[in-house]
Amino acid sequence: MTNELLNWRRSSTKEEWLELARRAGTSAGYLNLVAYGYRNASPRLALSIETASQGFVGKELISKEGLVFNRGASINES
């Protein structure tokens, strides 16, 4: 399973990443921790990220299930 949040991060501009964090109610730094596998998203944060990602045209939707249940993706994934 791929890490959707990390893929989204890699394909986004700094401004898009900051806006995703703002819309999700967290910081860009914490999103980085989740994307790179240092922290797990709570179910509430996962839902917020999924909802926030829906507002970006031409960007992949980040599913809450992928954030909560994707324990295997980490910084070692290339």
Side-chain angles (χ1 to χ4, degrees):
M1 178 182 275
T2 62
N3 183 330
E4 295 171 349
L5 185 59
L6 184 56
N7 290 341
W8 207 98
R9 171 70 177 113
R10 290 176 175 163
S11 69
S12 299
T13 64
K14 180 179 179 180
E15 292 75 22
E16 288 172 328
W17 190 245
L18 291 170
E19 183 62 18
L20 178 68
R22 187 191 68 74
R23 290 180 187 184
T26 191
S27 68
Y30 196 78
L31 274 185
N32 281 328
L33 292 174
V34 174
Y36 286 99
Y38 291 107
R39 294 283 184 265
N40 295 321
S42 67
R44 178 177 284 166
L45 178 59
L47 178 59
S48 295
I49 293 169
E50 179 183 66
T51 302
S53 73
Q54 292 173 354
F56 290 87
V57 177
K59 300 293 285 182
E60 182 179 332
L61 176 67
I62 302 166
S63 73
K64 62 184 177 291
E65 293 82 9
L67 290 168
V68 173
F69 299 113
N70 190 12
R71 301 289 188 231
S74 69
I75 60 171
N76 297 325
E77 186 178 281
S78 296

